[in-house]
Amino acid sequence: MTTPAPAILLQGLVKRYGNLTAVKGLDLEVRPGEILGFLGLNGAGKTTTIRMLLDLLRPSGGTAAIFGHDCQSDGIHARSLIGYLPSEMGVYPHLTGREVLNVLGGLHAPATDGNPIDPHYTSELMERLELPESDLRRSVREYSTGMKRKLGIIQAFQADPRLLILDEPTEGLDPVMQEAFYQLLVDVQRRGRTVFFSSHVLSQVDRVCHRVALLRKGELVLLATVEECRHLAPRRVRLTFAADVAALETLPDGSEMVERTARVWKLRVKGPLGTLLREVASRNPGIAIEDIEVSEAKLEDVVLHLYRGDAA
């Protein structure tokens, strides 16, 4: 059985601007059918990488491919498989929303593997994102920020592409529309579509992505599942005792005291809690632990460590 080509395959990808290297030997494989969060601070190289995938920029070295099609030498075929939402969608303001959808929809050529536009699916997207036909008859210059974002999402999704590349997709959407967008992601992923999702809102990535890839200064410093990321940062633990307890002379490896009173300890703990609890019990025999509160690490905790270069 033939192994399917990766949805995205980057091998040694490099982009230089004179003496500045924006992307440094990037290796990344995105699996078909997954939602991958592509993270990084401004200037980390995210947008540059996306533009090389779209052949809007040519790499200084290395290769990029979409489902086995080289993004440069076979760029037309590769781009026909993509639905792209830029962080800021530049369109002629005199066009109506409907004209924008028609023009951009025509770029998905049925002669390749791209899908023709199904008007019923477009109508479904309009309904789910609450952008009615009456709004599509208006010129884009009259649109609010949120309406432009809805239009951008619809044009990216309307051809039901095999790969969606989304750059800050919820920027300008209200919470109700953000929820509708999340459900769209779930639905297309269930149909086997792949989503490459760039965002600086880590709570969104934590919610919808299977794995995250983190760029820092043009280099990949993390590629892991969201669950694996949480294990890289300590949990916050609060212990409440039934009576006054004595402090430990030394804490077990992976444990750090944050705040302590006679009956309440607040710690950061990386790894299992068993060793810490056993040592507390041995040092304070007969004193019960009344309550244990554990707050799992968030994706933000890991990312902040890596941005500073604190974590391995």
Side-chain angles (χ1 to χ4, degrees):
M1 185 174 179
T2 305
T3 303
I8 296 175
L9 182 61
L10 309 179
Q11 294 180 302
L13 196 66
V14 176
K15 182 60 182 177
R16 300 186 189 91
Y17 298 97
N19 294 327
L20 172 67
T21 303
V23 177
K24 304 175 183 178
L26 182 57
D27 293 314
L28 178 63
E29 181 176 324
V30 181
R31 304 161 186 158
E34 79 168 321
I35 301 177
L36 185 130
F38 194 49
L39 310 179
L41 294 176
N42 290 338
K46 304 191 306 299
T47 299
T48 298
T49 301
I50 288 173
R51 287 175 177 171
M52 286 188 282
L53 284 171
L54 298 167
D55 201 25
L56 298 174
L57 290 175
R58 288 292 170 102
S60 306
T63 60
I66 303 293
F67 291 107
H69 301 283
D70 186 274
C71 294
Q72 280 70 54
S73 63
D74 196 11
I76 291 177
H77 203 152
R79 289 192 297 277
S80 73
L81 306 176
I82 297 171
Y84 173 50
L85 175 66
S87 58
E88 295 184 15
M89 194 172 74
V91 294
Y92 294 111
H94 65 276
L95 294 179
T96 66
R98 171 57 67 186
E99 288 168 337
V100 170
L101 293 183
N102 291 342
V103 169
L104 296 179
L107 299 178
H108 289 270
T112 65
D113 291 343
N115 294 327
I117 302 300
D118 179 354
H120 298 291
Y121 184 49
T122 302
S123 296
E124 178 189 334
L125 293 170
M126 291 164 52
E127 181 177 349
R128 293 175 68 165
L129 292 171
E130 299 181 9
L131 191 69
E133 188 66 43
S134 58
D135 285 338
L136 291 184
R137 289 195 291 267
R138 297 166 57 187
S139 65
V140 175
R141 67 163 57 91
E142 299 175 28
Y143 279 23
S144 67
T145 300
M147 291 172 65
K148 289 177 182 176
R149 210 66 188 147
K150 292 178 188 181
L151 183 68
I153 293 171
I154 293 170
Q155 66 80 27
F157 279 71
Q158 67 177 346
D160 194 18
R162 293 175 64 186
L163 171 65
L164 285 154
I165 297 179
L166 309 175
D167 196 354
E168 304 293 351
T170 60
E171 192 74 29
L173 294 182
D174 63 39
V176 173
M177 287 300 100
Q178 289 183 22
E179 192 63 36
F181 170 75
Y182 296 144
Q183 190 56 54
L184 274 178
L185 290 187
V186 171
D187 291 348
V188 297
Q189 191 270 330
R190 283 175 180 162
R191 296 203 306 275
R193 304 310 187 234
T194 307
V195 181
F196 190 69
F197 177 20
S198 175
S199 178
H200 69 277
V201 183
L202 296 178
S203 59
Q204 296 175 0
V205 175
D206 200 351
R207 174 174 176 173
V208 301
C209 294
H210 304 122
R211 293 192 300 159
V212 296
L214 177 63
L215 284 188
R216 186 180 65 197
K217 298 179 181 179
E219 297 181 296
L220 187 67
V221 295
L222 175 69
L223 178 62
T225 67
V226 171
E227 190 60 33
E228 288 168 342
C229 288
R230 293 194 184 103
H231 291 310
L232 294 175
R235 293 173 287 173
R236 291 177 290 277
V237 178
R238 186 178 190 270
L239 302 178
T240 304
F241 301 93
D244 292 357
V245 294
L248 299 179
E249 293 180 3
T250 59
L251 291 172
D253 289 344
S255 299
E256 176 189 358
M257 186 69 70
V258 176
E259 184 180 337
R260 181 176 68 85
T261 66
R263 297 194 181 191
V264 178
W265 291 6
K266 296 180 182 179
L267 308 99
R268 283 192 288 264
V269 179
K270 191 173 181 180
L273 294 175
T275 303
L276 172 67
L277 297 179
R278 285 191 294 270
E279 292 202 19
V280 170
S282 65
R283 183 71 174 82
N284 297 274
I287 299 179
I289 297 176
E290 285 192 333
D291 192 22
I292 302 176
E293 297 179 20
V294 179
S295 300
E296 293 294 334
K298 298 180 180 179
L299 185 60
E300 288 94 330
D301 301 325
V302 179
V303 169
L304 288 174
H305 278 300
L306 287 166
Y307 280 153
R308 300 188 195 107
D310 296 339

